[in-house]
């Protein structure tokens, strides 16, 4: 795992956008795996800026989102589909038919078939080249709550009360926060060729340390990233605050930069 520590959220977002843009330029028909939540917002804003000011084109890019609340229609303002349309897809030149977000209105008796077809669609697109991830306060990636199998696939999941509380900030007071979601599995995520994991803020420091430096366990599904061969972890200094090997990560990033520097 490559751990990159940046001063603040703005720098995290710029670094992440640089990596996504690099892939889109080198492989214009790439497949991106995308996440929702507050964390990737800065990355999406920066991609929108790169599209607007520097002509970065997503015309041939395909995307797959990690998850969606079960029961919410795509046009519902609290749905993840709506979040993606508002914050990214509607502001770049991606073709709407090339974007996929699990459909939260899939009928209950069609769920298994639907989830299998979501995975088939990912495979048919050539697989995910780069998967963007954030982390929930209980250590989840996508909506893989503690106890999810590390080889789980796309399925319906029951949300943890902690996650429901965390996400209630996106709903009006008194509104019922969905208790279920459709989510790619940990196994699905681990099949991506490359992973870009982002975290920011002091509130994430403890769980980030458990995920990166603790044991690999289904109790913290983000810890499964330790098993993936190509992961970039980009943290601000607050989210990195509880890492035991902090000095080493800073040292190795510095060493890498020197190696990449042209020799005179
Ligand atoms: C939700 C999403 C996750 C996301 C998490 C953290 O639970 N399903 O994909 O990583 O929220 O969100 P935030 O970035 O707002 O802390």
């Amino acid at each position: 795992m490559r751990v990159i520590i940046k001063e603040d959220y703005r720098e995290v977002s710029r670094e992440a956008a640089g990596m996504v843009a690099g892939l889109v330029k080198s492989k214009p028909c790439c497949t991106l795996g995308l996440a929702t939540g507050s964390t990737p917002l800065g990355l999406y804003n920066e991609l929108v800026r790169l599209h607007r000011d520097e002509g970065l084109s997503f015309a041939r890019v395909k995307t797959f989102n990690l998850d969606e609340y079960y029961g919410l229609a795509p046009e519902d303002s609290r749905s993840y589909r709506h979040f993606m349309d508002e914050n990214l897809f509607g502001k770049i030149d991606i073709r709407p038919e090339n974007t996929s977000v699990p459909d939260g209105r899939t009928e209950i008796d069609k769920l298994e078939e639907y989830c299998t077809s979501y995975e088939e669609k990912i495979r048919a697109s050539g697989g995910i080249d780069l998967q963007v991830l954030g982390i929930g306060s209980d250590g989840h990636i996508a909506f893989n709550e503690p106890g999810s199998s590390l080889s789980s696939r796309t399925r319906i999941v029951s949300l943890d009360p902690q996650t429901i509380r965390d996400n209630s900030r996106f709903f009006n007071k008194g509104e019922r926060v969905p208790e279920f979601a459709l989510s790619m599995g940990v196994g699905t995520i681990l099949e991506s060729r490359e992973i870009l994991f982002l975290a920011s803020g002091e509130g994430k420091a403890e769980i980030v340390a458990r995920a990166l430096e603790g044991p690999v366990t289904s109790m913290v599904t983000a810890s499964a990233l330790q098993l993936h061969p190509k992961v970039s972890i980009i943290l601000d200094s607050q989210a990195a605050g509880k890492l035991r090997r902090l000095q080493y990560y800073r040292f190795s990033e510095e060493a890498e930069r020197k190696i990449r520097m042209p020799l005179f």
Side-chain angles (χ1 to χ4, degrees):
M1 290 187 294
R2 179 174 177 201
V3 182
I4 304 169
I5 298 157
K6 294 285 172 189
E7 212 30 58
D8 55 24
Y9 176 66
R10 196 181 140 85
E11 278 194 44
V12 168
S13 304
R14 290 178 66 167
E15 180 79 17
M19 289 189 186
V20 176
L23 172 67
V24 171
K25 282 183 202 156
S26 66
K27 188 177 178 187
C29 58
C30 65
T31 300
L32 299 175
L34 298 177
T36 48
S38 325
T39 310
L41 263 182
L43 157 66
Y44 297 155
N45 288 340
E46 183 60 13
L47 290 177
V48 169
R49 192 196 66 75
L50 289 172
H51 168 68
R52 194 188 52 224
D53 299 346
E54 298 181 21
L56 181 68
S57 175
F58 295 81
R60 293 167 65 200
V61 171
K62 290 198 180 93
T63 65
F64 287 90
N65 263 76
L66 288 167
D67 45 17
E68 178 63 283
Y69 288 118
Y70 187 62
L72 295 193
E75 51 279 1
D76 189 305
S77 63
R78 288 97 28 105
S79 72
Y80 283 171
R81 160 53 81 179
H82 184 83
F83 174 99
M84 292 308 301
D85 287 346
E86 284 288 298
N87 294 300
L88 185 65
F89 301 151
K91 296 178 173 173
I92 57 176
D93 61 343
I94 197 160
R95 298 167 68 162
E97 64 272 28
N98 283 349
T99 68
S100 301
V101 180
D103 183 354
R105 292 298 291 269
T106 307
E107 285 168 42
I108 212 112
D109 57 341
K110 303 225 167 77
L111 272 178
E112 211 175 314
E113 192 188 324
Y114 176 78
C115 291
T116 306
S117 72
Y118 197 72
E119 298 241 349
E120 272 163 12
K121 201 170 167 192
I122 295 175
R123 270 194 291 277
S125 81
I128 292 173
D129 290 298
L130 180 66
Q131 174 67 58
V132 176
L133 291 178
I135 183 169
S137 64
D138 62 4
H140 69 227
I141 44 175
F143 268 133
N144 293 289
E145 299 288 27
S148 299
S149 160
L150 298 187
S151 53
S152 50
R153 314 298 311 187
T154 303
R155 68 211 184 287
I156 187 162
V157 292
S158 164
L159 300 178
D160 193 276
Q162 173 69 43
T163 302
I164 297 172
R165 267 195 303 277
D166 288 349
N167 292 348
S168 63
R169 69 186 193 277
F170 297 111
F171 291 76
N172 291 325
K173 233 179 160 182
E175 263 176 355
R176 208 181 152 86
V177 183
E179 289 161 8
F180 297 93
L182 300 185
S183 176
M184 276 190 207
V186 181
T188 323
I189 292 169
L190 291 179
E191 278 171 10
S192 316
R193 285 185 195 93
E194 190 172 348
I195 291 177
L196 185 52
F197 173 95
L198 311 177
S200 113
E202 211 180 339
K204 296 279 172 78
E206 178 73 43
I207 197 67
V208 163
R210 283 177 63 198
L212 305 189
E213 298 182 335
V216 174
T217 167
S218 62
M219 288 296 118
V220 179
T221 52
S223 67
L225 299 183
Q226 295 176 35
L227 301 170
H228 192 280
K230 203 168 179 200
V231 186
S232 297
I233 313 275
I234 313 182
L235 309 170
D236 64 11
S237 48
Q238 289 187 317
K242 297 209 167 150
L243 291 171
R244 265 178 294 156
R245 303 262 293 154
L246 187 60
Q247 292 311 325
Y248 170 75
Y249 304 134
R250 289 195 193 277
F251 165 80
S252 72
E253 266 308 297
E254 191 51 36
E256 278 228 11
R257 242 191 304 276
K258 278 186 198 145
I259 287 172
R260 285 188 193 156
M261 226 166 58
L263 297 175
F264 294 102

